[in-house]
Amino acid sequence: MAFKPRVAIVGPGRLGTALAQELRRAGYRISEIVSRNSLASRRKARVLANKVHTVAPMANPRLDAALVWFCVPDREIAKAARQLAPITDWKGKIAFHSSGALASDELQALRRRGAAVASVHPLMTFVHASVPSLHGIPLALEGDAKATRMARQIALDLGAEAFSISKSKKSVYHAWGGFTSPLLIALLVTGERVAHAAGLSPADARKKMLPIVRQTLANYAKLGPAGAFSGPIVRGDAQVVRRHVKELRKIPGAKDVYLALARAGIRYLPLRNRKELEKLLKP
C-alpha cells in the first residue's frame, strides 16, 4: 500500500470542501483546515472540519502535514503562501495549489524554503450546494517532479485521471475549461431568454431543454462533434437561419451569441451549403 501523507487544506470554500471530503474517503487524514480570520471563513472551516474529523484552528495553524494544499482564489495564492511561509519548516514538504490558469510558481515563496510545489487542477465545476465526486475526473499537473509524483499517486487513489500540462499552456488550458462549463451555462441562460420570447418561463425552459441537452452530450460522447451536429446549419438551410437571425435581433445579446456559435459550426464542422451560410453570417 502506497504511503498516504497527512494533508492540510488551506481554504474551506467549494473546492477545499470537495477535496477534503474526497481525500478522506480515499484514506487520507486531513490534519487541519486553515482559513482566513473572517467570521464567515472560520464558520466554513469549522463545518468542514467536523465533516472530515479534524480541527480548524482559530489562529496559528500548525502546518505539520507533509502536504499543504492551497484551495484559495487565484489572486490570493501567492499572498497566502507568503503569509504561511514563516510558520513552519518547509524543507521536505509538498505544497499544491489548484488554479487552472496559474503555474506552480505562485508558490515560489515555499519553494525557496525547500518545499516541492505543483499546480494540481481538477477539471470539474464546483458550486454551492453541490459536492461532486472526483472519481474519473481529469487532474492537470504542472510543477516540481517530487510534487507531481505525489499528485499522480493521489489521483490514482481518488480514481482521477492525472495528465501533465506545461507552464506556458496553463492559460489556454483554463480557457478550454471555460467552454466546458461556465460558458456552457452562459449559452443555456441565453437560451432561456430566447425561450422567454417564445412564451416560456425560465423554469419551464430549463425543464424542456434538459432532454435535448442530455441527448446532445450523449451523442457528442458516442459519435463525436460531427456526428452530434444537427439542425438547420448542418442541413445548409439558409432560409431558416435567416429567420432565426431576424427574430434574435429583438432579444438583447442573443443574436451575437447565435452568430458566434453558428460561425464556429461553419468553421469546424461538416455541413451543406457552406458558401451561402458563410455569406449570410459573415461579420
Side-chain angles (χ1 to χ4, degrees):
M1 181 180 295
F3 166 70
K4 293 182 178 179
R6 294 166 68 238
V7 183
I9 298 292
V10 180
R14 292 167 291 182
L15 175 58
T17 294
L19 278 173
Q21 293 183 71
E22 288 293 290
L23 286 167
R24 188 170 188 276
R25 289 191 190 105
Y28 288 82
R29 180 183 170 192
I30 308 302
S31 65
E32 60 186 324
I33 307 296
V34 180
S35 68
R36 292 179 297 178
N37 289 327
S38 71
L39 290 176
S41 186
R42 287 178 176 176
R43 188 181 306 112
K44 290 178 183 177
R46 289 195 300 271
V47 170
L48 178 55
N50 288 335
K51 289 180 179 177
V52 296
H53 302 282
T54 190
V55 296
M58 295 287 289
N60 302 319
R62 301 188 304 262
L63 296 182
D64 55 358
L67 170 60
V68 180
W69 201 322
F70 288 79
C71 302
V72 299
D74 288 13
R75 64 184 178 275
E76 297 178 13
I77 295 171
K79 179 181 177 182
R82 290 193 299 270
Q83 289 176 335
L84 296 180
I87 290 178
T88 189
D89 181 3
W90 289 91
K91 290 180 181 178
K93 288 185 182 293
I94 291 176
F96 295 162
H97 74 67
S98 284
S99 167
L102 301 178
S104 58
D105 294 342
E106 295 298 301
L107 300 176
Q108 185 64 23
L110 308 181
R111 183 185 273 145
R112 285 196 296 263
R113 290 173 176 258
V117 304
S119 64
V120 181
H121 179 256
L123 190 61
M124 177 49 64
T125 177
F126 298 92
V127 298
H128 292 296
S130 177
V131 180
S133 168
L134 301 185
H135 184 83
I137 72 157
L139 283 179
L141 313 181
E142 174 275 322
D144 301 334
K146 179 181 177 181
T148 56
R149 280 197 301 272
M150 178 176 285
R152 288 185 183 279
Q153 181 58 53
I154 290 173
L156 187 65
D157 293 334
L158 291 173
E161 299 180 7
F163 71 101
S164 297
I165 189 79
S166 69
K167 185 186 302 186
S168 64
K169 300 295 186 183
K170 289 281 315 243
S171 289
V172 71
Y173 154 77
H174 196 238
W176 165 51
F179 281 91
T180 65
S181 180
L183 293 180
L184 177 60
I185 294 299
L187 167 62
L188 294 175
V189 77
T190 304
E192 289 181 12
R193 302 310 304 163
V194 178
H196 179 73
L200 284 76
S201 70
D204 198 23
R206 283 195 293 276
K207 180 179 178 181
K208 287 177 167 55
M209 285 194 295
L210 282 174
I212 191 171
V213 169
R214 292 190 180 109
Q215 187 60 52
T216 299
L217 291 175
N219 293 345
Y220 175 77
K222 182 178 180 180
L223 305 174
F229 196 39
S230 65
I233 293 175
V234 72
R235 296 194 301 267
D237 196 336
Q239 186 176 4
V240 170
V241 173
R242 187 177 290 107
R243 290 173 182 164
H244 288 176
V245 174
K246 180 180 178 181
E247 291 297 326
L248 293 175
R249 289 194 181 103
K250 305 171 187 176
I251 306 166
K255 187 191 79 168
D256 293 337
V257 174
Y258 183 96
L259 289 175
L261 293 172
R263 289 167 186 153
I266 291 172
R267 177 184 293 270
Y268 298 123
L269 291 163
L271 48 88
R272 299 175 183 173
N273 201 15
R274 184 180 302 273
K275 288 185 178 180
E276 186 176 356
L277 288 172
E278 286 177 339
K279 183 179 179 180
L280 173 63
L281 299 172
K282 68 180 180 180

